[in-house]
Amino acid sequence: MVWGLLVLLGALLTGCQSPSGGVAEDGRLGEPASGTGRTSTVSPAPTRPSGYGAVFLAVGECSSFGTTSFSEVPCTGERAAARVVTRHDGTVRDGPRCPATTDFVLHISEQRPSSDEDGDGAVPQGYACMRNLQPPHPGDPGGGGGPRTIVGDCVYSSGDGQVRETACDGEGEREPEYKVTRAVPKRSGCPDSTALYVRLGGDRPVGCARPL
């Protein structure tokens, strides 16, 4: 699991968000000039590239490489490393679960700068479920990582009744000992070959694992 600590500068965002999440326009209709009967106008703000910069790390946008900090970058750029699959406000503990094949979760700290180029630039606390643009994909079944354990993943005993995920191909730091073959609502739904029950969460919270 990779945890990102987002570092934002006050001028990072180039757009302000409306309460519904849309982008507020900067251009305003001119008012008649006093005594002339003519209308003055304000030039519209430059158009931002679609899918980049309007809302920080919105679904479909990309983040840069990094282990301690990330920034939003164009997905076609050479710095792009991962794409946002889903994005939610709040914390991972209280919010919806990331998709099963998420590679890592990017935690977004709340930012409320006093001013920026276009408006308040507020970014609420949230998290983005990320998928690497290129392999490897640790969130895939048997990939040995990701924020969720899913059917097809392998685990090893780490002591005290706990298990940790590792790559099924044996190329991880630890050799796999069990493989999750099924997800069921209750332990009684596991096959007879089950040697270990793994907590998965969701509506099928029990993982049935067989020894390798």
Side-chain angles (χ1 to χ4, degrees), residues 17-42:
Q17 294 178 292
S18 65
S20 62
V23 178
E25 297 184 358
D26 298 324
R28 295 179 298 172
L29 295 177
E31 298 179 357
S34 176
T36 63
R38 294 182 297 176
T39 300
S40 62
T41 60
V42 177

Side-chain angles (χ1 to χ4, degrees), residues 131-148:
R131 177 80 172 170
N132 294 330
L133 294 179
Q134 301 293 335
H137 294 289
D140 283 351
R148 294 179 54 183

Side-chain angles (χ1 to χ4, degrees), residues 34-164:
S34 176
T36 63
R38 294 182 297 176
T39 300
S40 62
T41 60
V42 177
S43 299
T47 302
R48 286 184 291 269
S50 177
Y52 168 65
V55 176
F56 183 72
L57 286 180
V59 173
E61 294 177 352
C62 294
S63 70
S64 64
F65 293 92
T67 56
T68 59
S69 64
F70 297 82
S71 60
E72 181 184 312
V73 296
C75 290
T76 55
E78 61 181 11
R79 296 179 59 212
R83 189 185 303 273
V84 180
V85 180
T86 58
R87 184 172 180 326
H88 304 285
D89 292 339
T91 64
V92 173
R93 176 179 298 179
D94 300 326
R97 305 175 74 205
C98 284
T101 56
T102 298
D103 286 330
F104 66 96
V105 178
L106 180 59
H107 295 264
I108 301 171
S109 300
E110 182 178 28
Q111 298 290 327
R112 296 186 179 276
S114 57
S115 63
D116 64 12
E117 294 178 358
D118 301 322
D120 65 1
V123 178
Q125 180 185 18
Y127 58 98
C129 307
M130 310 297 294
R131 177 80 172 170
N132 294 330
L133 294 179
Q134 301 293 335
H137 294 289
D140 283 351
R148 294 179 54 183
T149 300
I150 59 177
V151 173
D153 280 340
C154 293
V155 298
Y156 67 92
S157 175
S158 60
D160 298 329
Q162 302 295 316
V163 295
R164 294 187 181 276

